[in-house]
Amino acid sequence: MTNLTSLGVKAIRDGVAAGDFTAREVAEGFNAAVAEAAELNAFIVTTPDHALAAAELIDDKRARGEELGAMGGVPIGMKDLFATKGVQTTAASHILEGFEPPYESTVSSNLWAAGAGMLGKLNLDQFAMGSSNETSHFGNVASPWKKEGTNAAMSPGGSSGGSSSAVAARIAPAATGTDTGGSIRQPAAFTGICGIKPTYGRCSRWGVVAFASSLDQAGPMARSVEDCAIMLRAMAGFDPKDATSLKMDVPDWESALNADLKGKRVGIPKEYRMEGTDQAILDSWEQGKAWLKDAGAKIVDISLPHTKYALPAYYIIAPAEASSNLARYDGVRYGPRSLPDPGSGAGTSGAGLQDMYAKTRHDGFGDEVKRRILIGTYVLSAGFYDAYYNQAQKVRALVARDFEEAWDACDVILAPTTPTASFPLGSLEDDPLTMYLNDVFAVPASLAGLPAMSVPATLNPDGLPLGLQLVGKPFDEQSVLDAGLAIQQRAGFDHAPEKWW
């Protein structure tokens, strides 16, 4: 029998439907792979029983001749930012440790309804704040990739590092991710997989632990463009519980996939050729242009003049929204509560309650979360609101306008996903500004709410994956997926990390 853990979403779904193997056999194979790969620390909680129960339902449906669903028989990893009923949901933070939601997020509900099962809850940067998966309360996630000539543990990217590591290591055929400023695309690029952030509002945010509400968007991570198209359709859809949800039909992106780009114009933004970008990244970008041209596209130069202001604007807006969203974590309703030390003078007065809030947040939040809350609170304060937050929102509008004007000249944009390949864990932990620069190419599309995808392209001289990013018009995920498929077919990226775990 085929090694089932080498298969992706489409191959598993079609194989189960055809009777080539059972959904239970698939679930058992991936459950064993997850257990064997514990050293990667990709999962916070494993749920083998959930995967097996979902598989049994699919096998029973097939025996009765019933429809299996778009994800029928496919076990997936669930980023631990999505609420899962009765299963611990922590956002990788101590302040939510032990919290078992009495409800299910809309995205996970959609996936279970489509026939998927859950292998477990995936590790991430705490509250999705980070670009290396080193801020989790539950420890760092390691990439399955190694830099040639060294045994150093490499970053899987962040915040969806558990998702990217699991998919790249072949211990999950696909996983959910969330993208606020690049947290699907950057880890996908670091680990040689695909990941798409759809148009803001395509996937419901209900039941997803919030970081920055005007930016957060769920999306799929898998090893192929086709698999992302299948999973995105299962995840997406209008949700009346989410005020930002798009009331639009969900296209059948899989059926419409077409790598023939004849008549399409691909824009190359001159501002993305930034100082400090690795030469291997620039070479990969040039190769990407050639691939898309070979697919029939016309390559055109465009300008996105406010690109250089996007990252600083993002690191004002996102922390500001985070400082508001994270105010709810106070030790009163859920999660651990830390009480003031005896003898501190804190009693049952209002001051004592404030002491409890302060100690709970001090003990429950990690350093990066505290840093962003402090930044956010500062830029929202009375003396600085206009100087920082209002100005950042104006810049955001200008960034969005740049894209709107660019669509007159092109249909999709090609750019690098990241300025560098993956780096060793710990190498940037004392340099948050350099860490933030990892998102420099990803943030503009997030500020504009546009669909954007990372597709694996080449390996750098150190044997590490490099990704190319495609950005599309609002609601036009199809053009992004089509261009991604054209790159996938020409790149022939079938590299896999050598198993060391």
Side-chain angles (χ1 to χ4, degrees):
M1 181 185 292
T2 302
N3 179 9
L4 297 180
T5 59
S6 69
L7 302 180
V9 172
K10 186 176 188 297
I12 292 171
R13 179 199 66 186
D14 293 350
V16 169
D20 297 336
F21 40 79
T22 66
R24 183 177 182 88
E25 287 172 330
V26 175
E28 288 175 341
F30 277 103
N31 280 340
V34 168
E36 187 180 354
E39 192 173 351
L40 295 174
N41 200 34
F43 285 85
I44 294 174
V45 172
T46 58
T47 56
D49 291 343
H50 190 294
L52 291 172
E56 293 287 358
L57 287 174
I58 292 298
D59 288 335
D60 289 346
K61 282 186 174 184
R62 186 181 183 279
R64 295 192 298 268
E66 297 178 11
E67 177 67 36
L68 303 187
M71 297 282 291
V74 182
I76 63 170
M78 184 65 61
K79 185 176 180 178
D80 196 29
L81 213 60
F82 294 83
T84 44
K85 186 175 181 178
V87 179
Q88 178 178 262
T89 300
T90 68
S93 178
H94 176 53
I95 206 164
L96 277 174
E97 191 170 2
F99 172 57
E100 295 183 0
Y103 56 89
E104 192 81 34
S105 77
T106 298
V107 163
S108 55
S109 292
N110 289 348
L111 287 165
W112 310 152
M118 181 168 66
L119 295 165
K121 302 298 291 292
L122 290 158
N123 208 344
L124 64 146
D125 281 302
Q126 189 172 157
F127 282 103
M129 298 180 192
S131 301
S132 63
N133 226 131
E134 293 178 276
T135 70
S136 171
H137 173 68
F138 300 96
N140 301 343
V141 176
S143 170
W145 291 86
K146 295 282 191 179
K147 184 177 179 179
E148 287 185 4
T150 176
N151 200 36
M154 303 299 291
S155 168
S159 65
S160 306
S163 301
S164 65
S165 181
V167 174
R170 277 65 174 167
I171 63 173
T176 57
T178 60
D179 193 308
T180 305
S183 288
I184 287 175
R185 291 162 286 156
Q186 186 251 21
F190 272 17
T191 57
I193 66 170
C194 296
I196 182 169
K197 178 195 85 69
T199 305
Y200 180 80
R202 271 284 187 204
C203 294
S204 172
R205 292 185 298 108
W206 193 85
V208 182
V209 179
F211 166 14
S213 301
S214 73
L215 294 159
D216 298 342
Q217 187 59 196
M221 301 174 74
R223 294 202 308 274
S224 74
V225 173
E226 297 95 330
D227 287 354
C228 283
I230 293 167
M231 189 170 171
L232 180 58
R233 187 185 183 199
M235 295 171 66
F238 173 66
D239 180 9
K241 298 190 293 294
D242 176 4
T244 62
S245 181
L246 291 170
K247 199 167 188 177
M248 299 175 68
D249 291 337
V250 178
D252 186 350
W253 292 297
E254 178 194 8
S255 296
L257 276 174
N258 184 2
D260 183 357
L261 304 184
K262 191 173 296 182
K264 293 286 187 178
R265 301 161 300 167
V266 176
I268 307 299
K270 64 181 183 181
E271 289 81 8
Y272 280 51
R273 186 172 287 274
M274 295 184 179
E275 184 179 348
T277 303
D278 284 359
Q279 185 59 47
I281 298 280
L282 297 175
D283 293 343
S284 179
W285 192 11
E286 291 300 318
Q287 182 63 70
K289 296 178 195 178
W291 284 330
L292 294 181
K293 188 175 181 180
D294 181 69
K298 180 182 179 181
I299 306 300
V300 298
D301 291 327
I302 62 169
S303 178
L304 300 171
H306 293 93
T307 295
K308 64 181 178 181
Y309 305 115
L311 195 66
Y314 171 84
Y315 277 102
I316 291 172
I317 294 168
E321 295 186 13
S323 72
S324 176
N325 279 327
L326 271 61
R328 71 192 70 179
Y329 303 109
D330 53 15
V332 174
R333 288 159 290 185
Y334 38 72
R337 176 185 300 176
S338 297
L339 298 175
D341 296 330
S344 66
T348 57
S349 65
L353 183 63
Q354 292 299 323
D355 289 338
M356 187 272 285
Y357 289 163
K359 185 159 179 56
T360 295
R361 290 167 175 164
H362 173 273
D363 295 346
F365 290 137
D367 289 345
E368 182 60 29
V369 175
K370 293 173 186 174
R371 179 184 291 118
R372 297 200 194 192
I373 289 173
L374 288 169
I375 292 171
T377 304
Y378 180 83
V379 301
L380 289 175
S381 63
F384 300 100
Y385 185 92
D386 288 331
Y388 291 104
Y389 186 72
N390 269 351
Q391 289 298 104
Q393 291 289 16
K394 292 175 183 178
V395 169
R396 182 179 190 173
L398 292 172
V399 170
R401 191 178 70 184
D402 285 350
F403 282 107
E404 290 169 8
E405 292 176 351
W407 302 133
D408 292 334
C410 66
D411 303 294
V412 68
I413 292 169
L414 176 71
T417 308
T418 59
T420 69
S422 177
F423 46 83
L425 290 171
S427 61
L428 297 178
E429 63 182 351
D430 296 324
D431 190 355
L433 290 179
T434 300
M435 188 77 79
Y436 294 168
L437 286 170
N438 269 282
D439 300 327
V440 67
F441 296 139
V443 157
S446 293
L447 288 176
L450 300 174
M453 183 175 201
S454 182
V455 180
T458 59
L459 296 178
N460 76 354
D462 294 320
L464 295 173
L466 303 177
L468 287 171
Q469 180 181 202
L470 295 152
V471 182
K473 301 174 184 177
F475 324 119
D476 190 14
E477 286 82 4
Q478 192 67 60
S479 290
V480 172
L481 291 162
D482 288 349
L485 182 63
I487 290 176
Q488 177 180 285
Q489 291 179 349
R490 286 157 180 78
F493 190 97
D494 57 0
H495 306 284
E498 291 188 16
K499 190 172 178 180
W500 56 265
W501 54 92

